[in-house]
Amino acid sequence: MRLGARIILACRSMERANKAIEDIKNNPPSRINKDEYKNNAGELATYSLDLLSLKSVKDCAKNLLTNEAAIHMLINNAGIGSPFSLEKTEDGNEMTLQVNYLSHFLLTLLLLPKMQLSSPNCRIINVSSSAHMFTDIDFDDLNLERSYKPFKSYARSKLANILFTKELTNQLTKANIHGINTYCLHPGIIQTEIWDHVRNTMFPGANFVFNIFGPFMYKKNAEQGVQTTIYCSVDEKTVNDTGLYYTNCNVAAPSRNANNRQYATKLWNASCHLLHLEPEENFTRFLETVSRQML
């Protein structure tokens, strides 16, 4: 916002979104002069988006494509902690998989054509987590109907975000589409509502352990936790990077599963099937098909 950008918040609750906007406008980040911040501030806008509903994702994309002149950056940041027992969305998908990953997958595909037309320097940032290192993906049980565990569900959704980043990079490269770079990241261990929920689902007694040792584990506040996202979004050092994983504003090595090329391709195809789309070798034609079927 301080750079004069138009920032769009796509949110499930408009009430909370408006409160967030007021907070952003009235409380600049630390070390920034408040008057200078207000004088150079960009625009803030809100759109309704509920990742629990693929219809909401499509409606949001349609509104963005209709009302926005350009989209230069997409940050897929929203997420939830997994419920204690298996829950599915209205679309029939395991809840955490859809909210933390599949809805982002669809939104990205729908907005990509607009991003292609927006400028030669666009970025897509997928927020993952170091939790991805503690899981695998069973492609025969994507909805975890045979093996649901809350932390497994959460960690798997974060692994999916990295694999999506890798395969999207591959698809863009094969299609000779330039000017759209991809990034994924671990923001750090931050005291948030999601982490409060996740720690309750890790193992019996985990909440007791975290209540004792939590103050020593939470390394970042919210402002510190967003720095790697900002770094991937606007820093000139990353302008030529694509398809990489970051933590603490540095390139890092994700897990072996996250680097598995076959996994990335299988997840891409499986995601298409969950959305009732047929994967195509020609990525440009595939995007046209997505737009035609989904909008």
Side-chain angles (χ1 to χ4, degrees), residues 132-133 162 166 184-186 228 243-255 259:
H132 84 273
M133 297 183 177
I162 301 177
K166 300 286 186 182
C184 54
L185 63 99
H186 167 56
T228 303
L244 301 178
Y245 174 74
Y246 296 79
T247 185
N248 291 321
C249 298
N250 284 292
V251 175
S255 70
N259 278 322

Side-chain angles (χ1 to χ4, degrees), residues 49-51 53-61 103 106-107:
L49 172 62
D50 185 353
L51 299 173
S53 164
L54 295 179
K55 181 181 183 302
S56 177
V57 174
K58 298 171 194 175
D59 289 343
C60 179
S103 287
L106 176 59
L107 182 64

Side-chain angles (χ1 to χ4, degrees), residues 196-262:
D196 287 341
H197 181 87
V198 169
R199 73 181 191 177
N200 284 323
T201 65
M202 292 183 73
F203 54 84
N207 195 44
F208 174 76
V209 173
F210 277 87
N211 282 338
I212 296 175
F213 296 104
F216 303 101
M217 293 183 61
Y218 301 127
K219 302 296 184 182
K220 298 179 179 181
N221 58 33
E223 185 177 328
Q224 293 167 334
V226 79
Q227 293 309 306
T228 303
T229 302
I230 295 173
Y231 177 75
C232 292
S233 301
V234 299
D235 200 291
E236 288 299 316
K237 294 177 184 176
T238 64
V239 71
N240 294 317
D241 293 347
T242 191
L244 301 178
Y245 174 74
Y246 296 79
T247 185
N248 291 321
C249 298
N250 284 292
V251 175
S255 70
R256 183 174 63 180
N257 287 334
N259 278 322
N260 188 316
R261 288 289 320 127
Q262 289 184 326

Side-chain angles (χ1 to χ4, degrees), residues 74-263:
L74 173 62
I75 302 175
N76 291 314
N77 176 71
I80 59 169
S82 300
F84 286 96
S85 58
L86 175 64
E87 293 185 29
K88 290 188 177 182
T89 67
E90 62 185 34
D91 304 291
N93 302 306
E94 191 268 313
M95 181 183 293
T96 309
L97 182 71
Q98 178 166 322
V99 173
N100 291 6
Y101 162 66
L102 188 62
S103 287
H104 291 153
F105 177 87
L106 176 59
L107 182 64
T108 302
L109 294 181
L110 292 172
L111 297 184
L112 264 171
K114 171 77 82 172
M115 297 184 78
Q116 282 183 262
L117 300 173
S118 295
S119 85
N121 184 20
C122 293
R123 304 188 188 195
I124 297 170
I125 297 95
N126 295 316
V127 178
S128 180
S129 166
S130 60
H132 84 273
M133 297 183 177
F134 302 102
T135 194
D136 200 343
I137 294 182
D138 181 355
F139 289 96
D140 294 323
D141 188 26
L142 278 177
N143 279 317
L144 298 180
E145 292 168 324
R146 299 193 300 267
S147 59
Y148 183 84
K149 292 181 181 178
F151 183 71
K152 176 182 179 180
S153 168
Y154 177 80
R156 183 192 61 157
S157 72
K158 294 304 180 179
L159 172 58
N161 285 337
I162 301 177
L163 292 169
F164 170 43
T165 305
K166 300 286 186 182
E167 184 58 23
L168 179 58
T169 305
N170 179 52
Q171 294 286 341
L172 291 167
T173 301
K174 286 196 307 180
N176 202 28
I177 296 174
H178 303 288
I180 301 178
N181 290 356
T182 67
Y183 309 79
C184 54
L185 63 99
H186 167 56
I189 300 177
I190 312 161
Q191 179 69 48
T192 65
E193 291 180 14
I194 289 180
W195 183 247
D196 287 341
H197 181 87
V198 169
R199 73 181 191 177
N200 284 323
T201 65
M202 292 183 73
F203 54 84
N207 195 44
F208 174 76
V209 173
F210 277 87
N211 282 338
I212 296 175
F213 296 104
F216 303 101
M217 293 183 61
Y218 301 127
K219 302 296 184 182
K220 298 179 179 181
N221 58 33
E223 185 177 328
Q224 293 167 334
V226 79
Q227 293 309 306
T228 303
T229 302
I230 295 173
Y231 177 75
C232 292
S233 301
V234 299
D235 200 291
E236 288 299 316
K237 294 177 184 176
T238 64
V239 71
N240 294 317
D241 293 347
T242 191
L244 301 178
Y245 174 74
Y246 296 79
T247 185
N248 291 321
C249 298
N250 284 292
V251 175
S255 70
R256 183 174 63 180
N257 287 334
N259 278 322
N260 188 316
R261 288 289 320 127
Q262 289 184 326
Y263 268 32

